[in-house]
Amino acid sequence: MKAIDCGRRAAPEPSAPRGLVFDIKRYAIHDGPGIRTTIYLKGCPLECAWCHNPEGQLGVPEIIFWTGRCIQCGACLEVCPEDGDLDAAHCRRCGRCVQICPAGAREMAGRWMGVREVMAEIGQDRVFYDSSAGGVTFSGGEPLQQPEFLAALLRACQEEEIHTAVDTCGFAAPSAFDQVSPDTDLFLYDLKLMDDAAHRHYTGVSNRLILENLRRLAHRGAAVTVRVPVIPGISDDAGNLDAIGRFVASLGAVNQVDLLPYHRMAADKYGRLHRKYRIPATEPPSTERMEQLAEGLRQWGIAVTIGG
Amino acid sequence: MNARVTRLREQSLRAVPSISAERALLLTDFYAQVDRLLSIPVQRALAFQHILQSKAICINDGELIVGERGPAPKATPTYPEICCHTAEDLDILNTREKTPFHVSSDVRRQYEDRVIPFWQRQTMRERIFELMTCEWKAAYETGVFTEFMEQRAPGHTVLDDKIYRRGMLDLIGDIQAARDGLDFLQDPAAYEKQEQLKAMTMAADALICFANRHAEKARELGAREPDPQRKAELDRIARVCSHVPAHAPRDFWESLQMYWFVHLGVIIELNPWDAFNPGRLDQHLYPFYQQGLADGTLTREQATELLQCFWIKFNNHPAPSKVGVTAQESGTYTDFATINTGGLRPDGADGVNEVTYLILDVIEEMRLLQPGSNLQLSKKNPDRFLKRAARIIRTGFGQPSIFNADVVVQQLIRQGKSVEDARNGGTSGCIETGAFGKENYNLTGYFNLPKVLELALNNGLDPRTGLRVGPPTGEASSFGSYAAVWDAFVRQLCFLIDTKVRGNNIIERLYATYLPVPFLSLLIDDCTRNGLDYHAGGARYNTTYIQGVGLGTITDSLTAIRYHVFDHGTITMAHLLQALAGDFRDNEPLRQLLLHRTPKYGNDEAYPDAVMQEVFEAYYQAIHGRPNTKGGHYEINWLPTTVHIYFGSVTGALPDGRRGGEPLSEGVSPVQGADRNGPTAVIKSVAKMDHVRTGGTLLNQKLTPQLLSDEVGIDRLAQLVRSYFKLDGHHIQFNVVDAATLRAAQREPDKYRDLIVRVAGYSDYFCDLGETLQNEIISRTEHPVI
């Protein structure tokens, strides 16, 4: 058996920017209106304790190991230039093990793609966008980490008359927002913690730039839905929610908040990346708790949805 | 539901399916004394008459719609003229784990004393097997195809609106006119036509007599009834049964009873596949519903109660008992009667009306295995209709399934039907397209496409039995190109289809000659006008099908050969053949490569989907347009019922990584677990097939309940369906369950007896399914919330 390259090769696109994409999911029904395709761009300035896409954090391709799929045939060890030391610290991310693995147990998260290539994938589900007033959502990681690529994709979608949404943590240069705003129909904008010290502790960065960017977007009348991950013991206290309510109410134009209940479905992903999950003991919030928090926010005159 | 319906539903659910010897004994009595100089149609009509005149009349306590095929609910008659169960068959039926039928010692004795000695070596089944060629038998025995007519009669048909306008006496008048028009000077077939028409009159009379016996019985029970309310109901039943089916119905109640008598007539005369179906029930009932509301004789609640009582009658009638391969290909109690809703009116307008919604309410509330239910969804139907159905689907009940009414019209017109007949048409059985009340669309057997590849890779020999089944098409190890593999596959395919068609042409004539159905012929245009039996080409349209099975498996298998052996050179043909011969023992890395590192159908990828299109084209070319014996032609469709399990059990390891014995893919769905890009990708792949050039395809999609937990989920499901239909997809059905629930049901079946799941074209009780199928349902790809 020889190694195979299952990746599809697109024609080179010399002039267009390229970007690092780690996943493309179709029939996304909770990332904006209608039936959508979500494009996940790799690389994020934050490192949230609860992140459910840890494979999207690093701005380089990396190897995921699905232990359950491994049949222990040893093919990966034979081709490894590090003599089979597959530990993350030594891995050069050359991808030979990915190519040889017959079971698909080793997967490369992150693929450099051209605009045309991504647009071809987006175009696949056109009939579903048309039937549902859906479209495309760019998520991550943090899509604004790759502003040139994102802007080019958004422009291409607008030319195709496909609705666009950008799912962002808000931590990006204001100039990046300037670049992408004209072609973004909807921002899905995360607000996590209003207390700056807590924000630094749990995400690794200050929230000041995030709040400022949101103010600017609101000021220029962009369509924004604020999304709040509700992480028990971290972001679910009444004080935080109240501060978010006050802040959103002060923005005027922004009037929609989605409360996203914490889930544990990503916990296994950390092991596959040889990383540690920081909040293994956290339980998902109860439906009653979610309702209670939503009700609190509604006091600020905000429309609140639980889930996306 | 009210107390009456609750009680009747409980009774129906609790009734144990059993074998009744009643019909077999009456038929035996009749044929023991029959005047053999009578023409065969007249003999059949007299036999029908004898049964309806003599069988027990059953009016169950509290019922409003009356009549049973056997002496009691789920007491299931047999049809020894087609297939006479042996004593051993009866023991198997009595004791088998799945879909058993209770056989009492009385029934067993009656069978041994009277039925078996009389019918042994006189049955259609034996005649069929005697007349088939060696090639046919080799293919049948090795599981290349199955034979639908070896235990059940051709049926696969549906009624139009005629019985709501015309009673049996009116039909007898039509027959008389046809007889008057016979030309004994110019028409050499005038005598045969006269005998057929005579038989049809007798059959119509027999049904009137049967109804009158119910009227008498109701009067008799009424006379003894202490409860005044029930007494009044029995009096009403007596009046209804005295009026229909002799005359056209006058109100909602009589309409339902009219249909039910006709239904019973069809399933007592013979045991046709798919029982019988009322067709556009919502449209047929609507005028009676409107009229009843207008003149104050009917309320919405009464209409609902009558519909619910009608539903229970279907559930009281399990499919006639099947044995052998036929039991494996259709291992279920459901007899495939299905209720259509929506669609178009004959003038092309939106067919949804108030009764449509009433019926959907009944479906949701009754939650019964039978009748099945479906939407005939046109682009002209409102979203409210589709979303109402989606909210039923969400409950995990597996019904209703959804059909593309606009594509069904296109299919029918392409096949040569008039526009009106096409709009009046729809689907029945699992997914079969037909012109209601005007067509004999007969399914003749499932065809195992992956097995054909297995034969092509083994030079025409079946590796499991060593039998020669197909022609020698060369040693696979010498195939130097994908074209050579494909060529061998197509040559095997054409030979085996020829073999099947040759058999069909004999079997169709056997039924036409020896087992005509004068009663069914009354109901389907233009049997009366043509003076010809339903089995002999009397219907306006006559279509014969061979149902393709394993599309996903064959596509992925051919794709794997093309991709790895010839396009990428990852493996050699010799290595692959050796691994297949050894069922992948000591070749697990290769099997993993085939499973996980190979393009698969169902992911909206051009490479495998192009192979699917080639397979479709080859199957279409091999079958489509061939003449049948009834003046019609062959068409193709794609459905498996439960045969993909049986076919899988007789098919060895395949190049898609499937081990020998495992199930094949079902319908046009991807191989179980091979679709990894979500439902939109599945739909896109499947829609690359030209559904318009089929007579039906089956797509099964399993969804987790979370996907439908809120109104957003309902909207998206509706949009998903609309999108598939925009792409000309024929049918989609959703299984909304979670794997944990199903595993729990496997462990503790008694706690989950009401759990109905959709399996390949119909719904069934999960606990009644075999373990393999249960496991397959559990392992099917789920599409969780992203």
Side-chain angles (χ1 to χ4, degrees), chain B residues 224-276:
Chain B
R224 297 202 304 263
E225 178 62 51
D227 173 16
Q229 194 204 326
R230 182 60 186 158
K231 200 181 181 71
E233 284 167 9
L234 286 163
D235 180 53
R236 179 73 189 267
I237 290 168
R239 279 182 285 132
V240 169
C241 296
S242 307
H243 187 78
V244 294
H247 309 279
R250 294 165 298 189
D251 59 27
F252 197 83
W253 187 328
E254 288 183 353
S255 303
L256 290 171
Q257 185 65 61
M258 176 78 176
Y259 175 75
W260 188 248
F261 277 134
V262 166
H263 184 97
L264 287 178
V266 172
I267 65 173
I268 289 171
E269 182 178 45
L270 271 186
N271 61 354
W273 277 104
D274 300 347
F276 200 45

Side-chain angles (χ1 to χ4, degrees), chain B residues 78 80 92 116 123 212 226 268-269 272 275 393 434 543 620 692:
Chain B
T78 56
I92 291 171
I116 296 171
T123 68
N212 284 333
I268 289 171
E269 182 178 45
I393 290 167
T543 313
Y620 179 86
V692 175

Side-chain angles (χ1 to χ4, degrees), chain A residues 2 4 26 101-102 124-125, chain B residues 570 592 597 604 680 684 786:
Chain A
K2 295 194 301 185
I4 48 161
R26 297 163 70 172
C101 178
Q124 300 266 79
D125 270 1
Chain B
T570 355
Q592 290 292 326
R597 302 297 305 276
D604 197 10
T680 61
K684 284 285 304 298
I786 292 160

Side-chain angles (χ1 to χ4, degrees), chain A residues 233-244:
Chain A
I234 298 177
S235 70
D236 71 334
D237 58 290
N240 187 43
L241 267 293
D242 204 47
I244 287 174

Side-chain angles (χ1 to χ4, degrees), chain A residues 262-280:
Chain A
Y262 167 74
H263 63 79
R264 276 187 298 202
M265 296 198 293
D268 284 350
K269 283 186 178 178
Y270 285 79
R272 285 179 216 133
L273 290 158
H274 299 276
R275 286 192 219 158
K276 201 166 170 273
Y277 191 42
R278 281 158 68 191
I279 52 168

